Amino acid sequence: CEMQVETMGKRSASDMSSNGDDAEGEAMDIDTTLEPRASLLTLLSRPSPFANETGALPIGEFEPVSFSKFTTTADLPEASALSSARVLVVGAGGLGCELLKDLSMSGIRNVDVIDLDTIDVTNLNRQFLFRQKDVGESKAKVAAACINQRCPWMNVTPHHGMIQDKDPSFYASFNCIISGLDNVQARRWLNATVCGLVQLDEDGDPDPSTIVPIVDGGTEGFSGQARVILPRITSCFECSLDAFPPQTSYPLCTIAETPRRPEHCIAYAYVLQWPKEFPDRKLDTDSPDDMKWVYERAVERANKFDISGVTYMLTMGVVKNIIPAVASTNAIIAAACVHEVTKLLSYYSQQLNTYMMYMGTTGIHSHTFVYERKEDCPVCTEAVRKMTISKTMTLNEFMQTLKDGDLQLSSPSIATSSKTLYMPKPPALEKATRKNLDIALSALVSAGEQLTVTDPSIQGLSLNISIAFEN
C-alpha cells in the first residue's frame, strides 16, 4: 500500500486506459498535476448543447463565463449570476436544512430563511443543523447561524415568524423562492402572493421583470416531488389543488411545536406523549381506555393553545395518520430543488418542465411531466368561472360548495359590483351581512351577474364567478 501511495501521480490518463500485459501487477497511478475543477464550475464555464434556451421551458440564454482561477463555487466572483442572486428558503425543517446545505455548496451566497417553528428534540435525528443545546430555539435563527459559521462565504439572514406576516414587497425582493413548507394551506398562500406580484402589460402578457420563480418541494415518507412554477407562465400550485386529497396526516414538526388544529393536538398526544408515559407498551387503538387517555391529553394540549374541536370521535380518526419523516427523501428532493434554482439563475441547463415525482418505496424511481395550467385557475388566470346552481340554493349553501368543491376555500367573502353579500370580517360587517346567509342566491343576484369572491387562501387575489340558475 505504501508503494502505491508513493507512486501516485506518475502515470497519465492515457497510460491508465491501457490494458497491455506489461501493466499487469503494476500500481495504477493518477496524475495529480491536473487543475482541480468543481462540477458546477465546469457546467458554468463551457458551452452546452443542452443550455436553457434549448429546452421546452426556455427562460434565458446561457453565456459561459471563464472561471479558470476559481476551484470551488465558494470562490465565485461577487458579480456572477449565482453569487449576486438573492434566494428565499421558506421552511427550516427537514427539507429546509437540506436546502440550506445544498445552497451553500452551489455558489449562492445571499440566502434568507423564514420559519415559525422552534426546535424540538424529535427534530434532531434528521435536521442536522440543530443540536441538543438548540432545543427550544428558533429554527430559522439557529439554521442561519450554523450555515454562516460553517461556510464563511455565506450570508444567511433568518426570519422567525409566519410567512403571512411579510408584505408582498418582501417576496418581490428575491430572484427565486424555494418552498419547503409542510402543509397545503401555507403553500397556497405563498403561491397566490407570488403570483399576485406579476404585472401584465396592455396585451395581458406578464412582465418578465416582475416574475419571481418558485421551486416547490415536498416529501412524505419515501415519496417526494419537486416542481418549477413560473407565475402566470406555467401552472401554479393552485392549478394542481385537485390532486391533493383532504389532509389526513400531519407533519411531526407541526404537531410538536406549532399546533393550529385539533388534529395536531391529538397527534401530539398519540405520537409524543404516549411513548414517554408508556415506553414499554404500544398504544392499542381498539382499547377504550387507551383512546380515552389520548383524548384527555389532546384536550389538555388544545386548551393550552386555545384550540377548539377536539372530540373522542375525531381522536379515533387521527391516530393512524402520521407522516413518517425520512432523511434520505429530504436529501433527494432538496438536491433536485437547488439544481433547478441554479439553472433558473444561470441558464446553464434545460429547466425542469415542470414536475418531478420521486417514489422510493419500492426502489429509486422518478419521472417528470408537464403539469398543465388550469384554464379557470383563480390565481394564475383572469378567467371568469361559470357556475350553474339551483334557484333555491341559499347563500350559505353556495359558500359551502366553494369550501367543499375544487376551489377548497376556507372563509370566503362574496360581493357583487353594487353590494356586499357576506363578509366574515370585521365582526361589525359580518353581523350586518349575516342575514343574507339564509336567503336564496337567486333573490340576491340576477342570472349572469358576476360575483367577486376573496379568500385567505388566495391572498390578495379575487375570483370572478358568473352565476346561472337551473330552469
Side-chain angles (χ1 to χ4, degrees):
C1 292
E2 291 178 358
M3 291 180 62
Q4 291 182 2
V5 171
E6 290 173 356
T7 56
M8 291 284 283
K10 296 179 181 178
R11 296 183 66 199
S12 66
S14 60
D15 292 332
M16 292 169 60
S17 64
S18 173
N19 291 324
D21 295 336
D22 57 337
E24 185 175 355
E26 183 181 346
M28 186 169 64
D29 306 325
I30 301 175
D31 188 352
T32 57
T33 61
L34 295 175
E35 181 181 353
R37 295 180 68 93
S39 60
L40 186 55
L41 293 182
T42 304
L43 293 172
L44 293 171
S45 61
R46 296 179 179 179
S48 171
F50 307 107
N52 191 280
E53 63 269 21
T54 67
L57 187 62
I59 60 172
E61 185 174 350
F62 175 55
E63 296 182 3
V65 182
S66 175
F67 294 128
S68 58
K69 65 179 181 178
F70 305 108
T71 58
T72 70
T73 51
D75 302 321
L76 290 175
E78 293 186 3
S80 69
L82 297 181
S83 300
S84 60
R86 290 190 67 212
V87 173
L88 173 65
V89 175
V90 184
L95 190 58
C97 285
E98 293 282 356
L99 290 169
L100 290 169
K101 178 259 293 180
D102 290 345
L103 287 169
S104 67
M105 297 291 107
S106 300
I108 301 173
R109 301 176 183 175
N110 302 304
V111 178
D112 287 43
V113 57
I114 183 170
D115 198 304
L116 173 66
D117 288 350
T118 55
I119 300 166
D120 186 77
V121 68
T122 59
N123 304 146
L124 302 182
N125 70 321
R126 65 195 180 281
Q127 298 176 21
F128 51 84
L129 299 180
F130 311 138
R131 298 294 181 266
Q132 182 72 39
K133 63 181 178 61
D134 300 322
V135 171
E137 300 294 328
S138 163
K139 284 186 176 182
K141 293 180 179 179
V142 174
C146 181
I147 293 292
N148 287 334
Q149 180 181 11
R150 294 290 295 271
C151 307
W153 60 89
M154 292 296 292
N155 178 28
V156 183
T157 303
H159 304 272
H160 178 71
M162 299 176 63
I163 59 174
Q164 293 87 347
D165 293 339
K166 297 294 185 181
D167 294 330
S169 59
F170 171 77
Y171 298 99
S173 66
F174 295 96
N175 298 99
C176 188
I177 296 174
I178 314 181
S179 171
L181 292 165
D182 59 9
N183 69 88
V184 171
Q185 291 304 319
R187 291 159 80 181
R188 292 182 70 187
W189 187 93
L190 179 65
N191 174 77
T193 298
V194 178
C195 285
L197 298 174
V198 180
Q199 298 179 10
L200 305 179
D201 60 21
E202 295 179 354
D203 298 326
D205 298 323
D207 178 358
S209 65
T210 62
I211 295 176
V212 181
I214 303 174
V215 179
D216 180 69
T219 65
E220 182 173 331
F222 289 98
S223 301
Q225 57 85 21
R227 72 184 296 182
V228 173
I229 298 173
L230 300 180
R232 301 278 185 171
I233 297 178
T234 68
S235 62
C236 71
F237 185 82
E238 195 78 15
C239 292
S240 58
L241 195 61
D242 295 350
F244 291 87
Q247 181 173 325
T248 56
S249 50
Y250 309 98
L252 192 60
C253 299
T254 300
I255 65 175
E257 291 303 315
T258 53
R260 297 180 290 274
R261 301 172 54 183
E263 292 89 345
H264 296 161
C265 301
I266 298 168
Y268 180 86
Y270 165 56
V271 176
L272 300 177
Q273 288 185 291
W274 179 273
K276 291 181 180 179
E277 188 74 19
F278 308 101
D280 300 324
R281 186 163 71 86
K282 185 178 179 179
L283 177 69
D284 182 1
T285 57
D286 294 325
S287 168
D289 292 336
D290 287 7
M291 294 309 300
K292 181 181 178 182
W293 185 93
V294 173
Y295 164 68
E296 291 173 348
R297 301 292 83 75
V299 170
E300 293 174 359
R301 185 162 178 81
N303 291 337
K304 179 180 178 180
F305 288 90
D306 196 24
I307 298 173
S308 60
V310 175
T311 65
Y312 185 83
M313 291 302 296
L314 183 61
T315 301
M316 292 289 292
V318 168
V319 293
K320 298 180 181 180
N321 295 286
I322 303 299
I323 297 176
V326 180
S328 59
T329 306
N330 288 335
I332 291 170
I333 297 303
C337 289
V338 173
H339 189 201
E340 294 307 315
V341 170
T342 59
K343 292 189 289 184
L344 281 164
L345 298 175
S346 63
Y347 313 134
Y348 68 81
S349 185
Q350 297 177 0
Q351 208 68 55
L352 170 65
N353 185 30
T354 51
Y355 202 102
M356 186 277 286
M357 291 189 66
Y358 166 73
M359 293 156 287
T361 305
T362 57
I364 301 176
H365 173 67
S366 66
H367 74 277
T368 63
F369 61 93
V370 180
Y371 215 116
E372 297 294 343
R373 205 172 171 190
K374 197 172 182 180
E375 293 183 356
D376 59 352
C377 174
V379 171
C380 67
T381 71
E382 302 292 327
V384 176
R385 178 177 288 240
K386 297 180 179 180
M387 295 183 65
T388 302
I389 63 174
S390 168
K391 286 186 177 181
T392 59
M393 176 179 283
T394 65
L395 176 61
N396 191 33
E397 292 172 336
F398 176 72
M399 290 175 56
Q400 196 61 42
T401 64
L402 299 181
K403 296 178 182 179
D404 297 339
D406 63 313
L407 291 172
Q408 298 185 33
L409 302 184
S410 58
S411 182
S413 301
I414 303 178
T416 67
S417 58
S418 58
K419 59 184 176 182
T420 299
L421 300 185
Y422 181 75
M423 292 283 285
K425 292 181 181 180
L429 193 53
E430 192 280 332
K431 183 178 180 181
T433 57
R434 191 186 307 164
K435 62 180 182 296
N436 292 332
L437 291 176
D438 296 326
I439 300 176
L441 195 57
S442 59
L444 298 172
V445 298
S446 304
E449 190 171 359
Q450 285 191 19
L451 301 179
T452 301
V453 181
T454 58
D455 191 81
S457 59
I458 51 174
Q459 170 71 18
L461 301 174
S462 60
L463 169 64
N464 294 319
I465 302 177
S466 177
I467 295 296
F469 298 105
E470 296 175 349
N471 293 325

